[in-house]
C-alpha cells in the first residue's frame, strides 16, 4: 500500500502563519485561492514553497503559461507568491524574495486584459 505524501504547503508552518494573518485582512475566498496557489507551488516543487528560488519560480511560471492557464489565474498565482515572500521577509525568515520584480524580469505575470462592459 502506498503511503500518502504529505501536502508540502499544508505542512509548512510558514504558509500556515501567512494564511492565518491573511485571513484577518482578506476575504475568505481570497485566502482559499492563495492556499490553493501555494499548495500548487509546493506540489510542483516537491517541498515547501518557502524554499523556492528565482529559477524555480521562473520555470513554474513558464509551465503555467504552457499549460494554457488564463492570464487572470496566472496573475493571481504570482500575486499570492509575491505576497507570501514579502511576508517571509517582514518576519525575517528570508532576506530576499525570489518573486520580487527586481530579482527577475522573467517572473512577471501577463497583464490581464479587461473588456469594456456591454450596455
Amino acid at each position: 500500500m502506498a503511503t500518502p505524501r504529505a501536502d508540502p504547503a499544508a505542512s509548512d508552518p510558514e504558509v500556515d502563519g501567512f494564511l492565518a494573518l491573511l485571513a484577518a485582512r482578506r476575504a475568505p475566498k481570497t485566502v482559499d485561492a492563495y492556499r490553493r496557489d501555494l499548495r500548487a507551488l509546493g506540489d510542483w516543487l516537491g517541498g515547501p514553497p518557502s524554499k523556492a528560488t528565482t529559477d524555480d519560480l521562473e520555470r513554474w511560471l513558464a509551465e503555467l503559461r504552457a499549460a494554457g492557464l488564463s492570464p487572470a489565474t496566472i496573475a493571481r498565482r504570482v500575486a499570492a507568491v509575491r505576497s507570501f515572500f514579502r511576508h517571509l521577509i517582514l518576519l525575517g525568515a528570508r532576506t530576499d524574495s525570489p518573486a520580487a520584480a527586481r530579482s527577475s524580469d522573467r517572473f512577471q505575470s501577463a497583464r490581464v486584459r479587461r473588456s469594456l462592459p456591454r450596455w
Side-chain angles (χ1 to χ4, degrees), residues 45-65:
L45 287 170
S50 59
K51 305 300 181 202
T53 65
T54 301
D55 288 339
D56 292 334
L57 296 179
E58 289 171 355
R59 285 192 304 270
W60 179 64
L61 185 58
E63 286 191 21
L64 295 178
R65 289 179 178 144

Side-chain angles (χ1 to χ4, degrees), residues 51-88:
K51 305 300 181 202
T53 65
T54 301
D55 288 339
D56 292 334
L57 296 179
E58 289 171 355
R59 285 192 304 270
W60 179 64
L61 185 58
E63 286 191 21
L64 295 178
R65 289 179 178 144
L69 270 67
S70 75
T73 299
I74 293 172
R76 190 200 64 234
R77 288 187 179 185
V78 168
V81 171
R82 281 197 176 131
S83 183
F84 174 63
F85 282 107
R86 197 169 27 248
H87 168 78
L88 293 179

